[in-house]
Structures are given as C-alpha cells and as structure tokens.
Amino acid sequence: MGLADIRERITAAEEKAGRAAGSVQLIAISKVQPIERVAAVLDEGHRLFGENKVQEAAGKWPSFRETHGDIAVHLVGPLQTNKTKQAMEVFDAIHTVDREKLARKIANQAQALGGCPDLFVQVNTGAEAQKAGVLPEEADAMVAACRGMDLSIAGLMCIPPVEEEPSLHFALLAKIAERNGVAGLSIGMSGDFETAIAFGATHVRVGSAIFGERVYA
C-alpha cells in the first residue's frame, strides 16, 4: 500500500469504467497523521489533501504551503457555523455543507471575502441518526436553497453505512446529482474507491491506505 499503489488502482479503475484517465481526483486524508508522513507524501508530488477539523488544518498547512507551493486542502469533516470564516480562509473546498443555516453563513462570508471554496452538499444516504447530511428526499431542496443564495454547488458527498453495500448509496447519490445538474461526486474511501469510480466518483477520499493507520494522541 502507499500513494503509488493507490494511483495505479485509480488509473485501472478509470480504464475499467471507460472513463478518461485523470478524471478522478485523489484526496489524501491527512487528518491526525504525523507531520513526517504528510511531508513524505508531499515529497512524492501529491498536492490534494483532506482534513476533518478546521483548527488542525489551520495549524498544519500554512507552513507546508510555504515550502511545497501549490497545495489544495479540502474539509471533509463537519463544520460548525462559528468556524465558517476560518474554514473558508483555510480550505479550497468544503465537502460537508449539510444545512441551510451553514449555507447562509457561507454565503454571507463569501460576500465579505470576495470568494468561496468549492462546495459539496453532504447527503446522509443511509438516514443514519449519528451521521451529518441532508436526507436524500431533502437533497434537491438543499441544492436549490444554496443556489438561491448565489452559492455554486460543485458536488455531492456521502459516507455509506459501514454494514451496507456502498454501490447502492453511490448510485443513489449519482441519481440525485444528475437530476440537479451537479457535476461532482465525492464518494469512495480506502475500502471501496474502485466501486465509487465505477459509479462516477470525481473525488475519492483515501487515508490509511496511503499513510498507514492513523496515530491518535
């Protein structure tokens, strides 16, 4: 396992699905990974990373951007409304827009900042009580509400229930995206990203298969 292996598997999955090479972006999930592991992946030339927490990202990435140049960092964890301004300054994309109150805060900050990260609406495809995201039947209204606030929606994101077949959830999200004219699909993680690519993933989120098991303090 490692970055080169994951890249090869993505290329093979793109080809098998009849998709153009390079049509899937690999987000290396670097949350709670030791700095030296992140630096090693940067040294291999990778430049797109994912973080779960605003504070962790704010403390980690400014120095890496100074030393390694053009890096993109995406927020893939939940966002509290009181962290919106900081998140919009730190991240190039937010994959977890899951309620209108947050969208409104983002819209207001976008006006003040004169710009906005790419936005993905998170859909709770398994209707799990412990998981964030709008319910599938509310997704159309959420996309419309965001657009009504002059927010452009780059994609949809979901995290399937661990005990269920992920392809069912990927197919559902792809259907919602298609009928809403949304291009991006942030689906697929270490265990199922090849399946996600077959269902149209534009972004796959892979952590431990690149960096090794996470190290929690």
Side-chain angles (χ1 to χ4, degrees), residues 169-180:
H169 296 270
F170 299 157
L172 172 59
L173 200 71
K175 192 173 181 181
I176 296 169
E178 183 178 18
R179 70 171 178 250
N180 283 283

Side-chain angles (χ1 to χ4, degrees), residues 95 119-122 143 152-157 177 182-186 202:
H95 289 236
L119 302 177
F120 291 69
V121 170
Q122 182 174 358
V143 171
S152 177
I153 299 302
L156 305 180
M157 186 271 260
V182 174
L185 285 176
S186 175
T202 57

